[in-house]
Amino acid sequence: MRVEIWSDIACPWCYVGKARFEKALAAFPHRAEVEVVHRSFELDPGRAKGDVQPVITMLTRKYGMSEAQAQAGEDNLGAQAAAEGLDYRTRDRDHGNTFDMHRLLHFAKEHGRQDALIQVLYWANFAEERSVFAEGDERLVELAAEAGLDAGAARAVLADPDAYADEVRADEREAVQLGATGVPFFVLDRKYGVSGAQPAEVFTQALSQAWGERSPLLPVGQGDGDACGPDGCAVPRQD
């Protein structure tokens, strides 16, 4: 069974939702048979690469709330994250464009390090004091290496603006086609969708339901045709 997760590194509920989903997945009896794939979704795709600003400033301008309201929201997110065992800095974080991070995540997928990289990026953005936006490409190269990727190869990806750009855009178009209006958005076997950072119990229910309703293959034709199996191939006898 495949679970696809559309998310953005700048999304705090994606950070929390990933932890809740993984709690459910860890207890799922068929965990070893579940493939998890991370898909790209930008919350702020129109933001220029060098446009970095404090999270509180972004929230007040984008949503028209007061600084006190924005800070209260961050404090609530900090409490939600703490309940899942996650560190979350509720003060002095910044916000910026995440397109290059998504390109790196597609690169990481090819090398089997996608989940490791997204976890490193989440931690760096929400828990560490250093910015993932203000320090430029070398900060992302450092984080890619921390996730087990080759630093030189990651640097080459970032230096080429076209590398994995089509893959990111394809993910974003697909999210729209599937009806995603926000993230995190979880799709189970292309049959069930779970929107938002739901409690672990909801993910447990969704995993069980999707697993139980997998469609078996429908046979076409009469009987069993000649085939090869573990014991070899059946050879027709010549009389």
Side-chain angles (χ1 to χ4, degrees):
M1 183 168 72
R2 170 179 282 198
V3 178
E4 297 163 279
I5 307 173
W6 272 263
S7 60
D8 192 11
I9 301 303
C11 165
W13 287 117
C14 296
Y15 179 50
V16 172
K18 183 176 187 293
R20 291 175 177 173
F21 169 75
E22 288 178 346
K23 183 181 294 184
L25 185 60
F28 188 55
H30 308 286
R31 168 66 185 93
E33 298 173 76
V34 177
E35 176 192 13
V36 178
V37 178
H38 297 281
R39 301 293 191 189
S40 299
F41 190 106
E42 294 173 275
L43 289 173
D44 203 354
R47 182 176 292 272
K49 181 176 179 178
D51 184 5
V52 180
Q53 64 182 167
V55 165
I56 297 300
T57 301
M58 180 274 294
L59 292 172
T60 58
R61 293 178 179 177
K62 188 171 184 177
Y63 300 107
M65 59 180 64
S66 67
E67 288 192 7
Q69 289 172 323
Q71 188 58 64
E74 282 293 286
D75 290 340
N76 175 58
L77 279 162
Q80 297 279 349
E84 303 302 329
L86 301 172
D87 287 345
Y88 188 97
R89 294 177 62 237
T90 60
R91 301 291 190 279
D92 302 322
R93 285 196 308 107
D94 59 12
H95 176 81
N97 181 283
T98 58
F99 187 65
D100 283 346
M101 298 180 200
H102 287 294
R103 294 197 299 120
L104 276 181
L105 283 165
H106 278 278
F107 164 68
K109 182 177 182 291
E110 289 187 352
H111 296 274
R113 305 300 300 168
Q114 190 185 44
D115 191 71
L117 179 58
I118 199 169
Q119 192 61 35
V120 165
L121 290 171
Y122 277 144
W123 180 265
N125 185 38
F126 293 111
E128 293 186 355
E129 292 186 8
R130 292 177 61 188
S131 172
V132 297
F133 302 107
E135 296 185 31
D137 288 354
E138 281 306 304
R139 175 63 171 147
L140 296 184
V141 170
E142 176 186 323
L143 294 171
E146 186 177 328
L149 293 163
D150 179 78
R155 187 177 291 109
V157 169
L158 292 171
D160 178 3
D162 294 327
Y164 301 98
D166 289 344
E167 288 84 345
V168 175
R169 297 307 185 206
D171 276 359
E172 294 175 335
R173 288 193 300 271
E174 197 165 17
V176 173
Q177 292 167 0
L178 290 171
T181 57
V183 285
F185 185 63
F186 302 78
V187 176
L188 291 77
D189 259 1
R190 290 300 171 108
K191 187 173 183 180
Y192 295 99
V194 178
S195 182
Q198 300 285 349
E201 294 78 12
V202 173
F203 290 118
T204 296
Q205 179 183 355
L207 286 166
S208 298
Q209 186 168 346
W211 182 267
E213 296 184 14
R214 289 174 303 147
S215 298
L217 293 176
L218 298 177
V220 176
Q222 299 296 321
D224 294 325
D226 294 330
C228 297
D231 298 324
C233 301
V235 179
R237 295 180 59 183
Q238 299 294 328
D239 295 328

